[in-house]
């Protein structure tokens, strides 16, 4: 099993009120799945994704990725783990404006003690896969929204991660571009066998995955295969 | 390697993508450190020049015997020569002379009257025409001979055989330049403002017949210097100083230290302001890059890498800034050295010539290391803060309102600022620095940091009140601007801090300057009633004039229109430095039959002023009046006896009363001139003062003095108004260098505000896009940003006035009085209120202009899409 989420709970305080974002969610995700997580606002879907990606720590429960419990890791271990084992795709792309497309793609490995020269071939290959090789020297502000998100997808793949986490990857794109990004993710999952967990509020986007988890009020409401 | 990558791909790119930000921060460091460097160079060079002068004049001598400015009888030379252990004892006359018509100290030169036949056993000289030294008989056969340094001759366009007119104790005398000295040996002393004369000629010209100022001693090869020193001390008795050149250096260093500490205080405040700017810039830069930090953290950059990233960025900025600061400091040192040395000379009653400004490679390395390290230390707090940013938190949309944690932190900052000000207050009032000197530095740092942390809280209080007052007014943009400032406390705090610390320093300096100025001028107005002052060439206000023989007095009294002051017939006074327990005091010896001041104006504190002053001249036993700093140094009270070491031995003087006088911060004593002349065997007068007869015009009296006596004696006659004006301008000049500090502080504040305002416009790009989308014009947007800047400038200035004058009051009343030994009354600088507010608004206006223009030029669609 690639990912095991066990009795995950997350609560935090907002003013004087305690908010229970997740109330004991358990789920297992094997290799190669493209899992969509849906739910209304406040259902806890983004919180679950953040906990899966080690961006946040649970109040209770465990997140075990390939046998390693990331809920028990300290900050340095988590940083290393994210860099080597996970790929992130964000709604607002989060590309660094001062770096070129190619450098943005290579960034996780640049952070990991490798020279650009060494990473460059892989970065170019990924950009080529995304159809952006001719844009590799462009800065983010010279790219369209769809192009920026494709660069972000390439960046998520640069470390050859076990798991790719996508947070509303089409939320900031028009419908047509969004569909092309989703197709890209689906094809990539099929061709590379990568496991993808995607949070979305759009049923059409969710349908690109092969499994759908629905959350409501911090509880896993349904788990269906598509 | 990883951290190197982070810096290479993130740090460097960020710096090159936003060069203006990097430049602003670098300039902040450069300006901040430049003043510190300049003052360090001047302080260091002053001490070195003084040391070099002492060493150059001492030559091979290991000991010297002296007895103060008045000198001692020539007859004692033989006693010195015959002391066992003395190989050679070389006499010297030291005097100040002025070029004819001189009104400034800079027009003076140091005269060394030497016995050329013996001189070479102590000092070396190298003349362009070496015969003059090797065969001095030619020189001695011509009594008008004088030797100048090449530097001085070049400065005044003189050559061998040129004639020069110098004012002497006997009036103007013409000398012929017989030789020029190359800058070696003794000619290096006094910055080259030196002339050599034959000892006998010098004695006559400067009123020192049968006297010597100093004897330099070269011991025999087997003599123990310390044993010889003790032997000579015992032989010469009280009133004589037998010193090693090193101890003269130490004394000089001690004297200069007390004054230089104030210079260093102001310059280190400027450095603190510069470092504060670095801290602020990095904090704001981190706030601006939160999103980027979040992305990097999410992608796996560990905390330590984030700290390293910012530290390395600041290291680069600090290094370049320090290098620029070093260059700028060198330039400022050249510009400020004259002002600073004049100021030091006026305070310490000594002539200071800086031979050359020294900025060695060690100094450069020290500047680079200390500047860079200071910048890195200043950046550490915000850098560590950046490491604590959680990836999720930083990727969320930037919120302008504060989270409960941030609110708590803000409250803690305000409390910390307040506590720092309380600490500073206690440490100054209770003089904690006496327990440990480090407290002094911490206390000064606390004043700046406390004001920076607590000040914005006060600004918010004012803004709140202002909003209430202006609410009914029909100015919607002003309302929006105020709302923006109140809403974004973090941003407003950063902006206000940047400007306020600069203005705070301006106000603090104004307080010190105005207190000095008002205290001295009030004192002068109160005690000084004479209409006319007559003296020889030089600078009246610090008594750096050529003294003249008192035999001129009867001739002066014949001048029509002048009237003796008070009950007497005219007043001569002798003002000389005097060594007492290692300090350099001032003696003011006043004529017994016609006092320098009227009795009723004598600056006596406590008791009956008139009878105390009168007793000084009528008492049969030697008596004196003294300042508190003298009483402290002597450990005596009014009524007690104190021994003064005179050339006639140790004489007990009765302390009749306490006076206030600012002639020397180390202490001043007033003596009856007849008593002084008796014990010091000095009949010269520094200055004469008179009143005008009723109906007489000053211009007529001056013309008469010039016509009858002026040419012969080279007299200078000035009115009391001119004297007071000179004194005022001298005080102004004493503080001229503080203007540079103010400018630097303001420049640093301007850069800081410009930096934070630019960032705040960038942070609000989306909001500005929205405002434009709903119909705001470009002009309204720029007006809004501009108003915000002006409001922050105005209220920042108001708070700077409040805090600056508070800290200034404490500084003047406690620190300054203790450090300088003068009782300075605090005077609130009323004129500085308007200035500070105008400067604050102007600086804010300039700083707000570019961001306002930038905001107005934003494209709506781009602004709305801005992430």
């Amino acid at each position: 099993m690639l990912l095991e989420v066990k009795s995950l709970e997350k609560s935090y305080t907002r003013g004087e009120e305690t908010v229970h974002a997740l109330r004991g969610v358990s789920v297992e995700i094997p290799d190669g799945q493209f899992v969509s997580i849906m739910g209304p606002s406040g259902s806890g879907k983004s919180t679950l994704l953040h906990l899966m990606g080690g961006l946040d720590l649970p109040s209770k429960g465990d997140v075990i990725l390939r046998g390693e419990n990331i809920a028990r890791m300290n900050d340095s271990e988590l940083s290393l783990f994210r860099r080597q084992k996970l790929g992130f795709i964000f709604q607002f792309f989060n590309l660094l404006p001062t770096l070129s497309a190619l450098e943005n793609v290579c960034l996780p490995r640049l952070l990991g003690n490798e020279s650009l020269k060494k990473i460059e071939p892989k970065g170019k290959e990924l950009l080529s896969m995304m159809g952006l090789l001719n844009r590799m020297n462009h800065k983010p502000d010279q790219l369209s929204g769809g192009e920026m998100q494709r660069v972000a997808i390439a960046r998520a793949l640069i470390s050859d991660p076990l798991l790719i986490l996508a947070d509303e990857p089409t939320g900031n794109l028009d419908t047509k571009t969004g569909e092309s990004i989703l197709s890209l993710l689906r094809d990539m999952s099929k061709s590379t066998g990568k496991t993808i967990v995607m949070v979305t509020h759009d049923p059409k986007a969710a349908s690109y995955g092969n499994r759908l988890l629905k959350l409501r009020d911090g509880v896993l409401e349904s788990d269906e295969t598509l | 390697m990883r951290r190197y990558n982070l810096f290479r791909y993130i740090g460097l790119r960020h710096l090159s993508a936003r060069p203006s930000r990097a430049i602003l921060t670098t300039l902040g460091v450069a300006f901040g450190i430049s003043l510190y460097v300049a003052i360090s160079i001047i302080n260091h060079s002053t001490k070195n020049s003084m040391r070099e002068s002492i060493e150059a004049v001492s030559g091979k001598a290991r000991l010297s015997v002296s007895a103060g400015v008045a000198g001692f009888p020539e007859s004692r030379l033989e006693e010195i020569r015959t002391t066992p252990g003395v190989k050679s004892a070389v006499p010297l006359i030291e005097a100040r002379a002025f070029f004819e018509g001189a009104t400034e100290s800079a027009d003076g030169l140091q005269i060394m009257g030497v016995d050329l036949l013996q001189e070479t056993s102590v000092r070396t000289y190298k003349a362009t025409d070496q015969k003059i030294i090797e065969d001095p008989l030619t020189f001695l056969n011509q009594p008008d001979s004088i030797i100048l340094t090449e530097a001085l001759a070049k400065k005044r366009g003189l050559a061998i055989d040129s004639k020069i007119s110098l004012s002497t104790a006997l009036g103007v005398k013409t000398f012929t330049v017989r030789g020029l000295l190359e800058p070696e040996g003794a000619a290096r002393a006094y910055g080259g403002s030196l002339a050599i004369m034959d000892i006998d000629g010098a004695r006559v010209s400067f009123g020192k017949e049968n006297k010597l100022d100093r004897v330099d001693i070269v011991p025999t090869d087997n003599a123990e210097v310390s044993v010889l020193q003790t032997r000579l001390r015992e032989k010469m008795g009280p009133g004589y100083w037998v010193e090693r050149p090193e101890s003269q250096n130490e004394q000089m260093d001690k004297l200069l230290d007390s004054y230089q500490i104030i210079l260093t205080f102001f310059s280190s405040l400027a450095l603190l302001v510069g470092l504060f700017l670095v801290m602020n810039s990095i904090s704001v830069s981190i706030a601006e890059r939160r999103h980027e930090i979040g992305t990097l953290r999410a992608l796996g950059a560990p905390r330590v890498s984030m700290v390293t990233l910012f530290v390395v960025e600041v290291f680069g900025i600090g290094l370049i800034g320090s290098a620029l600061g070093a260059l700028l400091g060198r330039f400022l040192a050249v510009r400020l050295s004259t002002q600073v040395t004049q100021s030091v000379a006026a305070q310490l009653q000594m002539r200071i010539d800086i031979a050359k400004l020294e900025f060695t490679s060690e100094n450069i390395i020290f500047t680079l290391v200390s500047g860079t390290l200071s910048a890195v230390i200043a950046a550490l707090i915000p850098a560590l803060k950046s490491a604590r940013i959680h990836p999720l938190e930083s990727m969320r949309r930037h919120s302008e309102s504060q989270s409960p944690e941030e609110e708590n932190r803000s409250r803690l900052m305000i409390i910390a600022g307040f506590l720092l000000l309380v600490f500073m207050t206690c440490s100054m009032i209770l003089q904690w620095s006496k327990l440990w000197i480090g407290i002094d530095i911490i206390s000064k740092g606390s004043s700046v940091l406390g004001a920076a942390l607590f000040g914005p809280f006060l600004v918010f209080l004012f803004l709140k009140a202002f909003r209430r007052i202006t609410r009914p007014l029909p100015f919607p943009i002003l309302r929006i601007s105020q709302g923006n400032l109140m809403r974004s406390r973090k941003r407003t705090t950063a902006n206000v801090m940047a400007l306020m610390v600069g203005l705070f320093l301006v106000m603090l300096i104004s307080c010190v300057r105005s207190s000095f100025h008002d205290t001295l001028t009030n004192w002068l107005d109160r005690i000084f009633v004479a209409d006319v002052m007559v003296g020889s060439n030089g600078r009246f206000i610090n008594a750096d004039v050529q003294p003249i023989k008192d035999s001129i007095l009867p001739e002066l009294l014949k001048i029509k229109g002048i009237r003796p002051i008070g009950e007497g017939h005219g007043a001569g006074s002798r003002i000389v430095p005097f060594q007492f327990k290692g300090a350099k005091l001032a003696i003011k010896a006043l004529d017994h039959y016609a006092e320098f001041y009227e009795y009723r104006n004598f600056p006596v504190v406590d008791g009956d002023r008139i009878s105390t002053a009168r007793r000084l001249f009528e008492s049969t036993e030697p008596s004196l009046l003294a300042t508190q700093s003298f009483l402290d140094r002597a450990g005596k009270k009014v009524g007690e006896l104190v021994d003064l070491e005179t050339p006639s031995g140790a004489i007990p003087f009765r302390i009749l009363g306490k006076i206030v006088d600012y002639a020397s911060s180390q202490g001043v004593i007033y003596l009856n001139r007849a008593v002084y002349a008796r014990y010091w065997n000095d009949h010269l007068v520094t200055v004469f003062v008179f009143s005008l007869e009723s109906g007489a015009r000053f211009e007529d009296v001056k013309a008469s003095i010039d016509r009858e006596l002026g040419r012969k004696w080279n007299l200078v006659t000035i009115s009391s108004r001119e004297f007071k004006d000179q004194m005022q301008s001298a005080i102004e000049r004493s503080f001229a260098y503080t203007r540079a500090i103010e400018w630097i502080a303001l420049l640093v504040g301007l850069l800081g505000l410009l930096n934070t305002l630019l960032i705040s416009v960038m942070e609000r790009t989306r909001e500005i896009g929205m405002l434009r989308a709903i119909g705001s014009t470009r002009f309204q947007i720029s007006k809004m940003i501009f108003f915000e800047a002006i409001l922050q400038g105005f209220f920042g200035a108001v708070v700077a006035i409040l805090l600056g004058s508070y800290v200034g009051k404490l500084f003047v009343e406690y620190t300054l009085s203790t450090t300088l030994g003068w009782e300075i009354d605090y005077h609130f600088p009323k004129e500085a209120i308007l200035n500070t507010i105008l400067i604050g608004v102007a600086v804010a206006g300039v700083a707000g202009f570019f961001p306002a223009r930038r905001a107005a030029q934003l494209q709506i669609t781009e602004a709305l899409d801005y992430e």
Side-chain angles (χ1 to χ4, degrees), chain B residues 317-332:
Chain B
I317 285 175
L319 193 64
I320 298 169
S322 306
L324 278 176
L327 289 175
L328 196 62
R330 176 76 179 81
F331 170 77
L332 273 177

Side-chain angles (χ1 to χ4, degrees), chain B residues 175-252:
Chain B
F175 296 90
T176 307
V177 180
R178 304 278 182 214
L180 296 176
L181 296 176
E182 289 180 15
E184 274 185 35
R188 287 183 293 122
Y190 308 107
S193 292
L194 176 76
I196 308 288
M197 285 177 70
D198 170 51
I199 193 163
D200 291 328
R203 277 197 192 110
V204 175
S205 297
F206 297 98
K208 299 195 172 181
E209 290 90 346
N210 306 317
K211 279 187 180 181
L212 294 175
D213 280 319
R214 166 173 160 169
V215 174
D216 289 308
I217 294 158
V218 181
T220 52
D221 293 341
N222 54 0
E224 270 280 340
V225 178
S226 54
V227 175
L228 180 59
Q229 189 176 17
T230 315
R231 203 175 286 152
L232 280 166
R233 269 184 187 151
E234 281 166 7
K235 197 166 193 178
M236 300 305 287
Y240 287 81
W241 293 285
V242 183
E243 291 170 312
R244 293 169 184 244
E246 309 88 86
S247 75
Q248 289 178 337
N249 279 336
E250 280 166 27
Q251 280 174 23
M252 201 58 75

Side-chain angles (χ1 to χ4, degrees), chain A residues 94-129:
Chain A
N94 289 3
L95 300 180
L96 297 195
T98 53
L99 301 187
S100 68
L102 179 63
E103 287 166 339
N104 262 297
V105 171
C106 299
L107 185 60
R109 287 178 61 182
L110 282 172
L111 293 172
N113 200 19
E114 290 179 67
S115 71
L116 183 62
K117 207 172 164 187
K118 188 178 159 199
I119 322 162
E120 228 175 45
K122 172 86 175 173
K124 283 181 183 169
E125 183 194 321
L126 288 169
L127 278 176
S128 166
M129 210 167 99

Side-chain angles (χ1 to χ4, degrees), chain A residues 15 50 55-57 75-76 78-80 82-83 88 90 92 94-100 103 107-116 139 155, chain B residues 1-3 5-6 8-10 13-14 17-18 291-292 294-303 305 387 390-392 395-397 404 766 867:
Chain A
H50 294 151
L55 289 176
D56 206 351
L57 291 173
D75 188 77
S76 316
L78 273 175
S79 296
L80 189 67
R82 281 199 299 267
R83 196 162 67 225
F88 282 97
F90 302 100
F92 292 103
N94 289 3
L95 300 180
L96 297 195
T98 53
L99 301 187
S100 68
E103 287 166 339
L107 185 60
R109 287 178 61 182
L110 282 172
L111 293 172
N113 200 19
E114 290 179 67
S115 71
L116 183 62
K139 294 275 171 67
R155 181 179 66 186
Chain B
M1 185 70 183
R2 180 172 71 240
R3 284 165 206 168
N5 271 348
L6 200 62
R8 181 175 167 195
Y9 292 103
I10 310 296
R13 295 292 171 86
H14 189 83
R18 307 226 193 288
H291 204 75
E292 182 181 306
T295 305
L296 287 167
R297 294 275 290 123
L299 293 176
R303 284 188 169 140
S305 298
H390 195 278
L392 272 184
M395 279 194 295
R396 277 186 203 121
R397 281 210 169 281
R766 198 178 264 268
E867 185 49 40

Side-chain angles (χ1 to χ4, degrees), chain B residues 30 64 125 150 317 378 420 696 721 839:
Chain B
S64 70
Y125 302 94
E150 269 186 329
I317 285 175
L420 284 170
R721 185 69 266 152
I839 291 168

Side-chain angles (χ1 to χ4, degrees), chain B residues 846-861:
Chain B
V846 172
F849 176 76
F850 296 102
R853 207 175 64 162
R854 184 171 177 162
Q857 284 170 347
L858 284 172
Q859 292 300 319
I860 301 175
T861 47

Side-chain angles (χ1 to χ4, degrees), chain B residues 206-458:
Chain B
F206 297 98
K208 299 195 172 181
E209 290 90 346
N210 306 317
K211 279 187 180 181
L212 294 175
D213 280 319
R214 166 173 160 169
V215 174
D216 289 308
I217 294 158
V218 181
T220 52
D221 293 341
N222 54 0
E224 270 280 340
V225 178
S226 54
V227 175
L228 180 59
Q229 189 176 17
T230 315
R231 203 175 286 152
L232 280 166
R233 269 184 187 151
E234 281 166 7
K235 197 166 193 178
M236 300 305 287
Y240 287 81
W241 293 285
V242 183
E243 291 170 312
R244 293 169 184 244
E246 309 88 86
S247 75
Q248 289 178 337
N249 279 336
E250 280 166 27
Q251 280 174 23
M252 201 58 75
D253 281 357
K254 240 163 100 181
L255 267 179
L256 287 171
D257 278 346
S258 66
Y259 186 75
Q260 292 186 340
I261 207 164
I262 294 167
L263 287 172
T264 310
F265 168 65
F266 284 133
S267 61
S268 50
L269 279 188
L271 179 65
L272 267 177
V273 171
L275 291 181
F276 182 76
L277 174 80
V278 175
M279 200 156 91
N280 207 21
S281 296
I282 301 296
S283 291
V284 185
S285 169
I286 286 168
E288 181 204 1
R289 290 159 71 180
R290 273 177 88 86
H291 204 75
E292 182 181 306
I293 295 167
T295 305
L296 287 167
R297 294 275 290 123
L299 293 176
R303 284 188 169 140
V304 67
S305 298
M306 299 317 301
V307 176
T308 314
L309 173 67
F310 284 107
V311 166
V312 170
E313 275 185 36
V314 174
F315 181 85
I317 285 175
L319 193 64
I320 298 169
S322 306
L324 278 176
L327 289 175
L328 196 62
R330 176 76 179 81
F331 170 77
L332 273 177
V334 175
R335 310 282 299 179
L336 292 177
S337 62
T338 313
Q339 292 170 352
V340 171
T341 46
Q342 271 184 6
S343 175
V344 178
Q347 308 269 349
L348 300 180
Q349 277 212 310
M350 60 165 82
R351 176 162 174 75
I352 292 171
D353 294 291
I354 297 182
K356 65 172 191 288
L357 286 169
E358 291 177 27
F359 197 39
T360 58
S361 51
E362 284 90 2
N363 294 136
I364 295 172
I365 292 167
F366 177 77
T367 306
L368 293 182
V369 171
S370 58
T372 311
L373 261 184
S374 307
V376 167
I377 290 167
L380 262 183
I381 298 169
L384 287 170
K385 207 169 141 193
S386 81
R388 285 202 301 271
I389 297 175
H390 195 278
L392 272 184
E393 188 193 328
S394 53
M395 279 194 295
R396 277 186 203 121
R397 281 210 169 281
H398 178 69
S399 163
E400 288 187 334
S401 56
Q402 290 181 304
S403 66
E405 293 80 31
E406 282 174 324
E407 271 180 22
N408 279 339
R409 242 190 337 257
S410 295
R411 260 182 234 128
L412 279 177
M413 299 278 253
I414 294 166
I415 294 169
F418 181 73
L419 290 177
L420 284 170
L421 291 175
V422 170
F423 167 77
M424 176 219 61
T425 308
C426 294
S427 71
M428 284 200 189
I429 293 176
L430 303 173
Q431 308 272 308
W432 285 347
S433 60
K434 284 182 182 164
L435 304 174
W436 178 51
I437 189 72
I439 297 270
D440 194 41
I441 298 159
I442 298 171
S443 165
K444 283 162 187 165
S446 302
S447 67
V448 176
L449 200 60
L453 294 177
F454 188 64
F457 167 70
L458 296 178

